[in-house]
Amino acid sequence: MAGTQDFLTGITGDVQLALVVGNTIVPVIKGAVKEVKALLGDQTIDYQVVITTGAAELDGVVSEATTTLQQINEERKAAGLDPLPIPGS
Amino acid sequence: MRERYTRLRPVLAALVLLTLAFGIGCHHVTVTGTPPGVSAQAVANWYQAAGALKTIQDTVSGATNSAVSLKADFPSASGYQATLLALGKLSQTDIEAANYLKTVPQNWNQPIQTQLNGYFTQMSKTLQDATSNGITGVKNPQKQAEVNALIGTLTQAIQFGLTLTGGQ
C-alpha cells in the first residue's frame, strides 16, 4: 500500500508494530511477544505469530467494546433509555 | 487528578507513541512462513485491518470515558446521550467487524474487502453523525480540544480502514 510503512518501536520494554499513515502512527500489534522482539534483528515476522497475535488483538477489541457498551448502557439506564444490544451476547 | 489523567491518557499515549516511533526510526517488516496459496501481502493487510479496528476501539473507549467525565459540560442532555449513542454504535460495529475479521485470517479477496469496507463505511457515517450531534459542543475550550484530538485519531483510523479495503 502506497504511503504505508511498517514500524517497530520499543514502548516501555515491549515491542509494538505500527503503521505510518500520512503523519499518524497507527498501532497494529503490541505486547511482549518474544518472537516479535526478534524482529529488531531480522525485520521479519512469522505468519503464525501474526495470526496468533492478531487474533488476540481482535479478541481484545471485542472485550474492550463490550466493556464500553456496558458503560454506555449504564448511562442510558440512568436516563431511562433502552440499552444498546451487545453483538454476540 | 486521577480523573483528569484517565481522560488524557489516550492523548498522552498517542503523543508518547509518536515521539518514540520517530526517535527510534523505521524498519520494514516482512511476513514469512505463509501457507501455500496465502500471500504475505494478504496476511499483512489482515493484521493491518486488525490494527485499525484496535485503534478505533481504543479511541472509542477513551472518548466514552471523556464524554462521561465531561457530562456536565455538554450543552444538553440530549446532546450527551446522542454522543454516547454514536460511541455505542461504533463499538457495536467494531465488535461485528472484529468477529468477522477473525474468521478470515488467510484471505484478502474482494468479497472480504467489500464486507470490511461496509463496516468502516458504517463507522465513518456514525462518526459524522456524532460530530454533528453534540460531541463537538462541549463548552470548555480546553476539554473540547481533548475531544477533538480523539475525533482526529478516530477519523484517521477509520480512513485507514477504508483505504485498506479499497473504498473511500
Side-chain angles (χ1 to χ4, degrees), chain B:
Chain B
M1 183 67 185
R2 179 180 175 82
E3 179 189 349
R4 181 169 179 77
Y5 172 75
T6 301
R7 281 191 279 114
L8 284 175
R9 193 165 53 187
V11 178
L12 292 172
L15 288 174
V16 168
L17 185 61
L18 280 169
T19 303
L20 290 177
F22 283 117
I24 290 171
C26 162
H27 305 266
H28 187 72
V29 178
T30 303
V31 179
T32 60
T34 54
V38 179
S39 73
Q41 187 60 53
V43 177
N45 288 343
W46 179 83
Y47 86 69
Q48 287 170 7
L53 294 179
K54 183 71 168 77
T55 300
I56 288 167
Q57 193 54 51
D58 285 348
T59 310
V60 167
S61 296
T64 300
N65 288 333
S66 293
V68 171
S69 66
L70 297 174
K71 184 175 182 178
D73 288 292
F74 274 83
S76 67
S78 61
Y80 173 68
Q81 288 297 336
T83 297
L84 290 185
L85 177 60
L87 293 167
K89 287 181 176 177
L90 286 168
S91 293
Q92 288 174 319
T93 307
D94 221 16
I95 288 175
E96 292 169 359
N99 282 334
Y100 174 73
L101 189 60
K102 198 176 171 188
T103 65
V104 290
Q106 297 186 351
N107 289 294
W108 194 257
N109 55 30
Q110 192 58 51
I112 290 171
Q113 291 182 51
T114 300
Q115 177 81 13
L116 289 170
N117 187 263
Y119 292 125
F120 287 117
T121 299
Q122 190 173 338
M123 286 192 269
S124 177
K125 184 178 184 314
T126 301
L127 182 60
Q128 288 173 9
D129 291 345
T131 54
S132 62
N133 277 336
I135 197 167
T136 57
V138 174
K139 298 171 189 172
N140 184 309
Q142 185 178 352
K143 293 174 180 175
Q144 181 63 64
E146 295 169 13
V147 172
N148 286 344
L150 291 172
I151 291 174
T153 301
L154 199 49
T155 300
Q156 289 187 319
I158 292 172
Q159 185 57 50
F160 174 66
L162 286 169
T163 303
L164 188 67
T165 53
Q168 299 299 315

Side-chain angles (χ1 to χ4, degrees), chain A residues 14-88:
Chain A
D14 292 343
V15 171
Q16 177 152 341
L17 291 177
L19 304 169
V20 181
V21 184
N23 294 321
T24 301
I25 305 294
V26 178
V28 175
I29 293 173
K30 63 183 180 180
V33 181
K34 62 183 179 183
E35 289 88 346
V36 176
K37 285 183 177 177
L39 286 172
L40 291 171
D42 303 344
Q43 300 179 10
T44 61
I45 184 166
D46 183 74
Y47 165 78
Q48 203 56 51
V49 173
V50 175
I51 297 302
T52 302
T53 313
E57 285 290 284
L58 291 171
D59 285 342
V61 168
V62 173
S63 174
E64 189 177 7
T66 299
T67 300
T68 296
L69 277 166
Q70 289 168 340
Q71 181 183 11
I72 289 169
N73 282 339
E74 285 295 318
E75 292 295 310
R76 289 178 64 83
K77 182 179 178 183
L81 300 170
D82 291 335
L84 301 178
I86 299 175

